[in-house]
């Protein structure tokens, strides 16, 4: 039986997986969701000796039902190859009593590589399947990591063009250099004078602009997205939670059927939603713990049932989580609303109009699979120092948020269950914040001068992605105000 996708705001709109990947966002502004979450066909025990690529096929074939076996396996093989610096693709590391799932061994040293390594292949395959003749214009907003990973994935891919918007002064120095030095004839990067939410809202507005779509169609382009609103991003993320569980099983860290807790540092809600999908597929996960930084809009939502973005936007040392509008939460809202598209649409329109919404008591009861916590910047720094002093393991600033929340939740629940923390970025990407947390004296040193010192204390070689930017030439200098984003896109396509 084929699995189709529908919009969270319109149950009548039904498309194949390949069509959903090409569109990115539904025409009504909703997000594509599978008609149902498929169950895994193999048991955890049957998969425990599989490679990452083999697990990826077992998971993704169920979601991408209109891809042939050859098409999907070709996409997987091209994605998860030697661009990753470890054979396991997503290694599990135990530090103290916690298991860290390292998702940063790809080309841009952040977890976005796990999905954005395969998305270009899924998208070009989808275009061929649907006889698309237009070039695909990828519009992406980034809080620091998606942008570089998307550009690296799509650079010089025939039939595509990508434009990335990022908040000026809202990302780390390494993150910005990774983006502005990106090569590729089909790549453009624009710094906006605003925050990530401004960039994300601007991109969504362009997707919904029918006049702009018609104008671009005349130039031979059609929109798609590399943000996690695209199910071609979300589905590959489900894979690594299934893989992590079967590796824990293979390593005899857990018994068959034993439930684990999963803690995810969360901004746009895609990464933790993928873990929720994995649970729905049959992975024995007890609770999913949503870890926030000081922009704790999600923590407050899980505590109160009220989502309210009307608050001060804080720039923190974990910039990829500096988000007040968590786009992927809409998919969860749709599920806990009993797949009521009218209710979902009503809540999303309230968010757009008033900046907040409140779910019903019945919906709140359906959030029992989730717990939440948050860490201040001081607590994040203390966690980096504590874990390093106790184990010698160095966390980045995002993983440290999750690690801190993990300890808080365990202290409160005391279930004795194993904890899996999604480790979302290399500490090299946030070297100044990481080293300053380990020793305040490092705060006075130049960011790039700290790179070899991080290598020395972590005993982990500096990633090639960092070496590549040290002497790279800046190729992208475009900047604009938020209200000029559409104009910039028009100028880039016309030039």
């Amino acid at each position: 039986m084929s699995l189709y996708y529908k919009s969270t705001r319109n149950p009548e709109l039904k498309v194949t997986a390949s069509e959903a990947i090409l569109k990115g966002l539904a025409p009504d502004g909703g997000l594509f969701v599978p008609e149902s979450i498929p169950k895994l066909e193999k048991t955890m025990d049957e998969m425990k000796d599989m490679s990452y690529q083999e697990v990826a096929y077992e998971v993704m074939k169920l979601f991408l039902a209109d891809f042939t076996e050859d098409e999907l396996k070709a996409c997987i093989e091209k994605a998860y190859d030697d661009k990753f610096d470890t054979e396991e693709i997503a290694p599990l590391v135990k530090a103290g009593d916690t298991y860290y799932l390292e998702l940063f061994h790809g080309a841009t040293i952040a977890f976005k590589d796990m999905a954005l390594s395969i998305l270009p292949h899924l998208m070009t395959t989808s275009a061929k399947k649907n006889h698309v003749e237009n070039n695909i214009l990828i519009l992406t907003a980034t809080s620091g990591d998606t942008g570089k990973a998307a550009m690296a994935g799509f650079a010089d891919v025939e039939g595509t063009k990508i434009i990335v918007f990022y908040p000026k002064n809202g990302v780390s120095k390494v993150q910005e250099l990774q983006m502005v030095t990106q090569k590729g004839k089909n790549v453009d990067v624009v710094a906006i004078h605003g925050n990530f939410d401004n960039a994300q809202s601007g991109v969504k507005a362009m997707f919904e602009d029918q006049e702009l779509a018609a104008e671009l169609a005349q130039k031979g382009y059609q929109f798609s997205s590399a943000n996690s609103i695209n199910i071609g991003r979300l589905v590959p993320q489900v894979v690594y939670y299934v893989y992590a569980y079967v590796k824990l099983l293979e390593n005899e860290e857990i018994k068959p059927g034993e439930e684990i807790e999963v803690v995810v540092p969360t901004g746009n809600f895609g990464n933790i939603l993928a873990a929720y999908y994995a649970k729905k597929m049959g992975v024995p996960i007890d609770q999913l713990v949503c870890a926030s930084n000081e922009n704790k809009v999600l923590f407050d939502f899980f505590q109160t049932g009220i989502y309210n973005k009307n608050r001060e936007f804080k720039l923190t040392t974990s910039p990829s989580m500096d988000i007040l509008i968590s786009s992927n939460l809409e998919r969860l809202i749709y599920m806990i609303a009993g797949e009521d598209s009218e209710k979902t649409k009503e809540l999303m329109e309230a968010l757009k109009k008033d900046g907040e919404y409140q779910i019903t008591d019945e919906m709140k009861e359906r959030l029992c699979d989730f717990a939440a916590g948050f860490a201040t910047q001081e607590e994040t720094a203390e966690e980096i120092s504590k874990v390093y002093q106790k184990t010698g393991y160095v966390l980045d600033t995002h993983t440290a948020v999750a690690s801190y929340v993990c300890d808080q939740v365990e202290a409160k629940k005391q279930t004795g269950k194993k904890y899996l923390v999604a480790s979302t970025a290399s500490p090299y990407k946030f070297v100044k914040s990481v080293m300053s947390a380990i020793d305040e004296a490092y705060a006075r040193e130049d960011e790039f001068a700290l790179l070899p010192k991080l290598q020395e204390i972590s005993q982990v070689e500096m990633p090639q992605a960092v070496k590549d930017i040290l002497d790279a030439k800046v190729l992208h200098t475009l900047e604009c105000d938020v209200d000029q984003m559409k104009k910039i896109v028009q100028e880039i396509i016309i030039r």
Side-chain angles (χ1 to χ4, degrees):
M1 184 187 294
S2 285
L3 181 70
Y4 287 91
Y5 287 77
K6 55 189 177 181
S7 168
T8 51
R9 303 185 195 180
N10 178 7
E12 303 304 314
L13 182 65
K14 192 165 83 166
V15 298
T16 63
S18 62
E19 289 171 326
I21 289 168
L22 283 173
K23 292 176 186 294
L25 189 70
D28 55 16
L31 305 188
F32 285 114
V33 289
E35 287 185 306
S36 61
I37 305 236
K39 294 293 184 184
L40 288 161
E41 293 177 347
K42 286 186 166 61
T43 66
M44 300 291 112
D45 204 49
E46 286 173 322
M47 289 191 286
K48 71 180 183 183
D49 296 319
M50 286 186 176
S51 66
Y52 190 87
Q53 293 84 346
E54 289 168 334
V55 172
Y57 179 71
E58 287 301 319
V59 173
M60 293 174 67
K61 72 177 182 181
L62 302 174
F63 283 103
L64 309 182
D66 64 326
F67 282 67
T68 68
E69 180 177 348
D70 287 345
E71 286 170 340
L72 185 52
K73 283 185 173 177
C75 291
I76 289 168
E77 286 167 14
K78 289 172 188 171
Y80 304 113
D81 57 11
D82 59 8
K83 70 173 74 68
F84 286 82
D85 62 21
T86 58
E87 190 178 339
E88 305 100 305
I89 306 298
L92 267 175
V93 175
K94 187 177 183 182
D97 295 326
T98 305
Y99 300 87
Y100 294 93
L101 177 62
E102 292 189 343
L103 301 172
F104 53 78
H105 289 277
T108 73
I109 58 175
F111 82 99
K112 309 293 174 76
D113 289 321
M114 301 300 295
L116 283 164
S117 293
I118 195 168
L119 181 61
H121 305 295
L122 295 176
M123 199 167 280
T124 51
T125 302
S126 295
K128 287 175 189 170
K129 291 175 76 66
N130 290 278
H131 311 292
V132 170
E133 293 181 5
N134 284 343
N135 289 315
I136 299 166
L137 174 59
I138 310 292
L139 284 190
T140 294
T142 185
S143 52
D145 289 335
T146 287
K148 171 61 181 179
M151 287 186 287
F154 281 95
D156 293 323
V157 171
E158 191 175 346
T160 69
K161 186 167 184 63
I162 180 166
I163 304 173
V164 169
F165 294 94
Y166 75 94
K168 186 69 179 173
N169 302 320
V171 299
S172 78
K173 190 173 179 181
V174 171
Q175 284 178 310
E176 183 169 45
L177 271 174
Q178 281 189 305
M179 287 189 279
V180 299
T181 59
Q182 175 65 51
K183 295 177 182 177
K185 293 177 183 176
N186 63 336
V187 168
D188 283 277
V189 188
V190 185
I192 69 155
H193 306 140
N195 58 43
F196 169 74
D197 288 331
N198 300 140
Q200 182 168 248
S201 296
V203 166
K204 286 193 80 173
M206 284 187 276
F207 271 102
E208 296 170 25
D209 188 331
Q210 298 305 313
E211 190 179 302
L212 178 60
E215 184 182 338
L216 292 174
Q218 286 186 326
K219 299 291 181 183
Y221 288 93
Q222 67 183 60
F223 280 135
S224 193
S225 174
N227 279 91
S228 55
I229 55 174
N230 192 318
I231 62 103
R233 272 278 306 274
L234 186 61
V235 169
Q237 290 179 276
V238 179
V239 173
Y240 47 73
Y241 292 108
V242 179
Y243 179 78
Y245 189 90
V246 299
K247 290 301 118 178
L248 284 170
L249 205 54
E250 182 187 8
N251 298 340
E252 299 183 347
E253 300 284 352
I254 56 174
K255 298 181 178 70
E258 182 180 338
E259 286 188 332
I260 63 170
E261 309 274 359
V262 174
V263 189
V264 186
T266 310
N268 218 16
F269 206 73
N271 203 1
I272 193 166
L273 183 69
Y276 183 60
Y277 276 27
K279 175 173 179 169
K280 291 291 185 183
M281 292 188 85
V283 179
I285 295 170
D286 177 23
Q287 276 199 312
L288 302 133
V289 183
C290 177
S292 300
N293 65 12
E294 288 181 38
N295 291 292
K296 56 187 183 69
V297 65
L298 285 167
F299 170 78
D300 292 342
F301 168 72
F302 283 111
Q303 298 300 111
T304 65
I306 299 170
Y307 192 99
N308 187 344
K309 76 174 186 70
N310 300 319
R311 62 184 70 199
E312 179 190 357
F313 183 93
K314 297 182 179 180
L315 290 173
T316 74
T317 52
S318 46
S320 297
M321 298 162 67
D322 291 345
I323 294 171
L324 294 180
I325 303 175
S326 302
S327 287
N328 269 289
L329 187 63
E330 180 171 342
R331 287 183 166 114
L332 180 64
I333 294 296
Y334 177 75
M335 293 175 79
I336 63 172
E339 301 194 352
D340 183 338
S341 56
E342 283 304 313
K343 183 64 177 176
T344 305
K345 186 177 180 181
E346 173 196 320
L347 294 174
M348 294 308 113
E349 286 179 351
L351 180 64
K352 189 172 183 178
K353 179 175 175 286
D354 304 319
E356 68 174 313
Y357 61 80
Q358 182 168 358
I359 61 174
T360 65
D361 289 341
E362 186 181 5
M363 290 170 72
K364 194 176 178 188
E365 285 173 10
R366 291 174 179 162
L367 291 175
C368 58
D369 289 311
F370 292 88
F374 75 96
T376 65
Q377 291 201 82
E378 291 75 19
E379 288 163 343
T380 302
E382 287 166 9
E383 183 70 10
I384 292 170
S385 177
K386 183 187 85 174
V387 172
Y388 174 69
Q389 298 302 333
K390 284 177 67 176
T391 69
Y393 188 62
V394 181
L395 304 173
D396 90 288
T397 47
H398 302 74
T399 309
V401 168
S403 187
Y404 176 85
V405 169
C406 177
D407 285 349
Q408 301 307 301
V409 171
E410 168 57 12
K412 185 178 179 181
K413 291 176 69 174
Q414 294 186 327
T415 61
K417 288 185 168 71
K418 306 286 195 311
Y419 277 79
L420 177 74
V421 170
S423 184
T424 54
S426 165
Y428 280 96
K429 206 152 193 172
F430 307 95
V431 60
K432 183 98 169 184
S433 298
V434 169
M435 294 298 285
S436 300
I438 289 171
D439 187 334
E440 288 180 4
Y442 289 127
R444 296 186 291 273
E445 297 194 32
D446 176 73
E447 187 161 348
F448 285 166
L450 292 172
L451 291 168
K453 294 179 181 179
L454 175 55
Q455 180 171 274
E456 184 181 335
I457 70 160
S458 67
Q459 297 295 297
V460 174
E461 187 179 350
M462 192 185 305
Q464 192 60 44
V466 175
K467 294 176 184 176
D468 287 345
I469 64 170
L470 294 179
D471 300 309
K473 181 182 177 184
V474 172
L475 302 173
H476 306 280
T477 55
L478 277 176
E479 294 186 24
C480 76
D481 292 333
V482 174
D483 61 3
Q484 294 178 310
M485 289 171 64
K486 176 178 173 179
K487 183 182 176 186
I488 285 281
V489 168
Q490 290 168 316
E491 290 174 355
I492 287 172
I493 295 303
I494 290 167
R495 76 183 182 203

